[in-house]
Amino acid sequence: MLRWTRRHVLAAAAVFASVVAGPALPAQAESVLRVIPHADLKNLDPIWTTAYISRNHGYLIYDTLFAMNEEFVPQPQMVDTYEVSDDKLTWTFKLRDGLKFHDGADVTSDDVIASLKRWGARDGMGQQLMGAMGEMVAVDASTFQFKLKDPYGLVLESIGKISSNVPFIMPKRVAETDPFKQIEDYTGSGPFVFVKEEWVPGSKVVYKKFADYKPRSEAPDAASGGKIAKVDRVEWTYFPDQTTAMNALINGEVDYFESPANDLMPLLEANSDITVEINDPLGNIGFSRFNHLLPPFDNADVRRAAIMAMKQDDYMQGAVGDQKFWKTCYSVFPCGTPLQNETGSDVMKTGDLEKAKEALAAANYDGTPVVIMQPTDIPLLSAFSLITAEKLRNIGMKVDVQAMDWSTLTSRRAKRDPVADGGWNIFHTWWIGADVIDPMAIAFSGDPEKGWFGWPKDADLEAARSAYAKATTAEEKKASAEKVQERLWAIGASGHLGQFFVPVAYRNNVKGLIKSPVQFFWNMSVDE
């Protein structure tokens, strides 16, 4: 007689269950969007740095109170409702229900206030807003108020700005980090979670879908609307070599190439499996940034002489190439935008080496070498660097070009030390047009303590920027913007190298690309 033990019963039950359920189905593979980013991600704090790679990282893992649509009109994002008092001094905001950080904690008013304070210490627009602020008050866990000292016309535009520095909301414990030190905790509340244990600096960054993210119901519209994570993972793989990156895209090893070099465009456009298109209607503004603290560019006349040598056509032809991707622009505000003007721009229009040489001699240049940081892993900026080096040598300056990668440059440019101790004189970059569309941009700051790398000091410039923030009519804003531009050229704040457009390239199975000056990865999917 067979005796049924507990072991026999469990085994029989397992067999019965397998017969009823049928054969086991294979686990469904995770969907992955594989991206070649425009640079290596080294600095993870998008408030500490204005680097666009850090901003893009920020948009994946953080969220914002307001966000810009395609028309650059701020729309509620984390905010549900808001109201303004009749005297325009009290703004009351209520957060949406269900907002959570990646660690499961609710997003609260205290988190918002701490985050805005930290952002407001670093960002140009934030500094202006904080200057108008009397206090920020947490009414309850989901309601907070701005109590202004005077009416301020750019409240929503400030907390909804689309690009660096973006006022991302972080947990209070993180946001209380010194604004001039990098955070070490990357807990956000955005649609993706940063997978720190899979981060390999110089190679790979991984993000996974945040299951508890609650998107808005509206359709995606630039930075605004529903941020729907349509893939389980986003993986950035960094390729220092552009040809290797192109081949990875062509061979299907990656799906999306954020910033391919222009000389690769003919090959990419000829491939029927790949789409090449311009995703940013405003384009980018090339910058040659001087260090105003160190010789020889502590002398405004030397800076202006260098700018006189910077012929935009040479930079655009040498670094961008095909003229369908660029145009000259002698306004500090992007051409084709409301504040475009040419006040004081004769210094940038000169583009004449002989006149620049004469101006340099008149400025009493003493032969101090110019250290140019050259980011060799970003072809366009590498080319900018070499073109500037040649022009400065041609007008009689001594030049020391120091090669490095972009992530190293973005760390080193924060140093105010003498050249002998790791300092620098010039670096090149670009700003997306949306970042420099008005005088509030940190790139236009004249405050060396709170301003952008290079640290110009000009009280008249700061006064004009403040006047713009307080202006109530289009005419007043335009007049203030022209004054800002006049001062920027007068002090030789930066060289403006032209307005250019960088296409993206992706395999045809990628869907849902959002048109915007900023690269977003929500709403994007990959068909198998």
Side-chain angles (χ1 to χ4, degrees):
M1 179 177 177
L2 179 64
R3 293 185 61 194
W4 284 79
T5 66
R6 183 173 181 274
R7 179 171 58 84
H8 290 110
V9 172
L10 292 175
V15 170
F16 178 76
S18 66
V19 171
V20 172
L25 297 175
Q28 187 168 348
E30 288 186 312
S31 56
V32 182
L33 175 65
R34 301 163 300 172
V35 175
I36 303 171
H38 71 269
D40 176 32
L41 179 67
K42 183 176 182 179
N43 301 307
L44 300 177
D45 185 348
I47 303 302
W48 181 84
T49 180
T50 55
Y52 288 151
I53 190 67
S54 302
R55 175 206 63 195
N56 293 359
H57 158 81
Y59 265 117
L60 278 160
I61 67 174
Y62 300 112
D63 214 342
T64 58
L65 298 172
F66 281 73
M68 293 291 183
N69 64 15
E70 284 190 7
E71 303 299 320
F72 296 99
V73 177
Q75 304 295 318
Q77 189 61 34
M78 298 175 79
V79 166
D80 183 15
T81 61
Y82 70 99
E83 60 183 32
V84 187
S85 63
D86 291 340
D87 61 7
K88 309 298 183 185
L89 295 180
T90 301
W91 294 67
T92 303
F93 304 90
K94 183 173 177 55
L95 296 172
R96 292 193 289 130
D97 293 335
L99 299 179
K100 290 189 176 295
F101 285 113
H102 298 155
D103 60 6
D106 292 335
V107 179
T108 70
S109 298
D110 288 338
D111 301 309
V112 169
I113 291 171
S115 297
L116 292 180
K117 285 181 178 178
R118 186 168 189 265
W119 162 77
R122 294 302 304 262
D123 179 72
M125 208 163 185
Q127 290 165 5
Q128 295 288 338
L129 176 60
M130 293 303 142
M133 190 77 67
E135 60 177 338
M136 291 184 283
V137 178
V139 177
D140 57 38
S142 62
T143 308
F144 60 95
Q145 290 181 330
F146 293 171
K147 294 182 179 292
L148 305 179
K149 293 180 288 189
D150 297 293
Y152 187 74
L154 299 172
V155 172
L156 300 185
E157 289 82 355
S158 299
I159 61 175
K161 65 174 298 197
I162 195 170
S163 191
S164 301
N165 298 93
V166 179
F168 293 121
I169 303 305
M170 302 177 179
K172 180 175 183 286
R173 68 175 186 277
V174 179
E176 288 178 337
T177 303
D178 184 332
F180 293 89
K181 294 181 180 178
Q182 294 200 57
I183 60 174
E184 297 180 354
D185 180 338
Y186 312 109
T187 304
S189 66
F192 291 91
V193 178
F194 172 56
V195 186
K196 185 177 180 181
E197 59 271 21
E198 294 189 49
W199 176 40
V200 182
S203 178
K204 191 173 185 179
V205 192
V206 175
Y207 306 89
K208 65 179 182 182
K209 180 178 180 178
F210 179 37
D212 290 335
Y213 181 75
K214 184 178 179 181
R216 294 190 69 89
S217 60
E218 299 92 341
D221 185 357
S224 69
K227 299 179 179 180
I228 301 174
K230 293 188 175 180
V231 293
D232 298 308
R233 288 165 64 92
V234 176
E235 296 181 356
W236 290 358
T237 303
Y238 174 62
F239 291 84
D241 179 72
Q242 283 267 320
T243 301
T244 304
M246 177 187 70
N247 289 333
L249 181 68
I250 290 173
N251 296 333
E253 298 166 23
V254 294
D255 307 300
Y256 191 91
F257 193 170
E258 185 188 346
S259 186
N262 285 76
D263 60 1
L264 302 180
M265 290 304 157
L267 289 172
L268 293 171
E269 290 174 328
N271 191 305
S272 60
D273 294 325
I274 293 171
T275 297
V276 175
E277 64 181 11
I278 292 173
N279 197 38
D280 176 7
L282 285 185
N284 310 281
I285 310 299
F287 262 61
S288 179
R289 186 64 163 182
F290 304 108
N291 187 336
H292 292 232
L293 303 182
L294 301 181
F297 295 124
D298 57 346
N299 181 336
D301 291 333
V302 173
R303 297 193 297 268
R304 284 170 55 85
I307 291 172
M308 291 172 68
M310 295 177 178
K311 186 176 182 180
Q312 287 191 359
D313 300 77
D314 295 342
Y315 284 90
M316 293 293 97
Q317 290 170 1
V320 180
D322 193 328
Q323 193 163 2
K324 70 181 180 181
F325 295 125
W326 63 268
K327 60 184 177 182
T328 58
C329 179
Y330 301 107
S331 168
V332 300
F333 310 109
C335 290
T337 62
L339 296 180
Q340 172 188 347
N341 72 93
E342 294 193 1
T343 301
S345 64
D346 287 348
V347 63
M348 191 71 241
K349 283 184 175 180
T350 302
D352 187 299
L353 294 178
E354 288 304 314
K355 291 181 179 179
K357 186 182 296 185
E358 292 172 6
L360 185 66
N364 297 316
Y365 169 64
D366 62 1
T368 300
V370 174
V371 171
I372 300 178
M373 296 190 291
Q374 178 199 10
T376 54
D377 57 335
I378 300 183
L380 183 126
L381 297 184
S382 181
F384 280 174
S385 304
L386 296 177
I387 294 169
T388 293
E390 180 183 15
K391 289 183 176 298
L392 296 188
R393 290 185 180 116
N394 286 340
I395 66 173
M397 302 190 84
K398 295 179 181 179
V399 178
D400 177 11
V401 177
Q402 298 185 5
M404 62 196 71
D405 59 32
W406 176 247
S407 60
T408 299
L409 187 153
T410 58
S411 295
R412 184 172 167 185
R413 70 181 180 178
K415 295 172 70 70
R416 301 187 185 218
D417 302 319
V419 167
D421 297 323
W424 55 275
N425 296 117
I426 294 181
F427 74 89
H428 296 79
T429 188
W430 70 78
W431 289 92
I432 64 170
D435 264 340
V436 288
I437 202 168
D438 63 44
M440 295 297 95
I442 191 69
F444 301 146
S445 173
D447 183 339
E449 298 306 316
K450 298 180 179 179
W452 192 52
F453 312 108
W455 311 289
K457 181 178 181 179
D458 190 79
D460 290 341
L461 173 58
E462 284 302 279
R465 294 176 73 232
S466 295
Y468 178 86
K470 297 173 183 177
T472 58
T473 68
E475 292 75 17
E476 290 174 342
K477 287 182 181 294
K478 184 174 178 59
S480 297
E482 289 177 355
K483 179 63 176 178
V484 167
Q485 177 161 307
E486 178 188 353
R487 292 308 305 161
L488 287 167
W489 290 135
I491 67 172
S494 307
H496 289 237
L497 310 180
Q499 191 166 348
F500 63 95
F501 304 83
V502 179
V504 298
Y506 55 92
R507 298 190 63 79
N508 294 338
N509 62 335
V510 174
K511 309 297 181 186
L513 180 65
I514 298 172
K515 292 286 186 181
S516 169
V518 177
Q519 176 62 66
F520 303 124
F521 295 102
W522 55 79
N523 202 53
M524 293 178 68
S525 61
V526 182
D527 294 341
E528 297 299 332

